[in-house]
């Protein structure tokens, strides 16, 4: 069975630190952005496809390098 996954990552996360640090989903933990840890977990599960990331329009430049590092091809839309 295949399941579609929706990752909602469009929030600003301003309660978690200062706004100058950027949205919390792009802040590093263990050398990788929080969103990268999340997506890597779902990519490791063979039942998850496609994975849809809902992100803020202003965060394209933050999300793009994460997706490139994960090299997920068409599994993440």
């Amino acid at each position: 069975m295949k399941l579609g996954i929706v990752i909602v990552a469009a929030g600003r996360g301003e309660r978690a630190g200062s706004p100058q640090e950027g949205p919390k989903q792009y802040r590093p933990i263990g050398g990788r952005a929080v969103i990268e840890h999340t997506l890597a977990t779902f990519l490791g599960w063979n039942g998850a496809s496609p994975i849809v990331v809902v992100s803020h329009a202003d965060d394209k430049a933050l999300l793009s390098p994460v997706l490139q590092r994960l090299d997920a091809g068409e599994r993440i839309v």
Side-chain angles (χ1 to χ4, degrees), residues 4-17:
I5 304 293
V6 178
I7 306 294
V8 181
R12 305 320 299 153
E14 293 175 356
R15 291 178 298 180

Side-chain angles (χ1 to χ4, degrees), residues 13-74:
E14 293 175 356
R15 291 178 298 180
S18 73
Q20 291 78 16
E21 294 178 276
K24 65 182 173 189
Q25 59 270 34
Y26 300 104
R27 294 182 196 164
I29 293 180
R32 294 174 24 183
V34 172
I35 187 75
E36 190 168 348
H37 286 284
T38 302
L39 291 171
T41 298
F42 282 107
L43 285 168
W45 181 42
N46 290 333
S49 187
I51 301 169
V52 177
V53 179
V54 179
S55 63
H56 194 281
D58 293 343
D59 294 346
K60 185 174 182 177
L62 296 170
L63 182 58
S64 182
V66 170
L67 297 178
Q68 289 175 0
R69 283 192 299 274
L70 289 171
D71 193 29
E74 295 180 9

